[in-house]
Amino acid sequence: ERGMFIVSEELCQNCKTLKRMLGDKIISVQFVKASENMDLCRRLGIKAIPALVKDDETVVFDLDDIVTEIEKD
C-alpha cells in the first residue's frame, strides 16, 4: 500500500500554494505528477489538481482540507 499522496504538477499555481501552506509538513507526504500517472488519475476520477489521495483512495481537492488531512496523519 502506497499510503497518502498528493497528485500535482510543478507548474500548477494551486499546487505551489499548497506546498507553501504545508510548510514543514511537506516532508511527510509523497507528491506524484499527474502527467506521469494518468491511468491512476482516470481510475480515481481526478480531474483537477492538487488532489490528496487518502489511504482508502478517497480524494480531497480543497486546499484547506488537504492540509487538515495531512496534519491529522
Side-chain angles (χ1 to χ4, degrees):
E1 188 173 301
R2 120 191 275 172
M4 203 162 45
F5 60 95
I6 294 174
V7 180
S8 67
E9 284 293 334
E10 286 181 28
L11 298 177
C12 160
Q13 219 34 62
N14 283 338
C15 300
K16 292 176 185 176
T17 300
L18 175 63
K19 288 178 179 182
R20 278 195 304 276
M21 290 169 69
L22 287 172
D24 293 343
K25 295 276 184 200
I26 200 165
I27 59 170
S28 67
V29 66
Q30 178 186 4
F31 283 79
V32 300
K33 285 188 173 183
S35 59
E36 295 173 1
N37 294 278
M38 294 307 293
D39 288 341
L40 175 76
C41 290
R42 273 191 287 279
R43 185 170 65 79
L44 296 176
I46 296 171
K47 294 184 165 106
I49 54 174
L52 173 70
V53 179
K54 295 169 50 173
D55 294 337
D56 63 0
E57 294 196 342
T58 55
V59 182
V60 179
F61 294 101
D62 180 80
L63 296 182
D64 291 322
D65 292 344
I66 291 173
V67 172
T68 299
E69 287 294 331
I70 291 169
E71 286 175 345
K72 273 198 258 180
D73 195 44

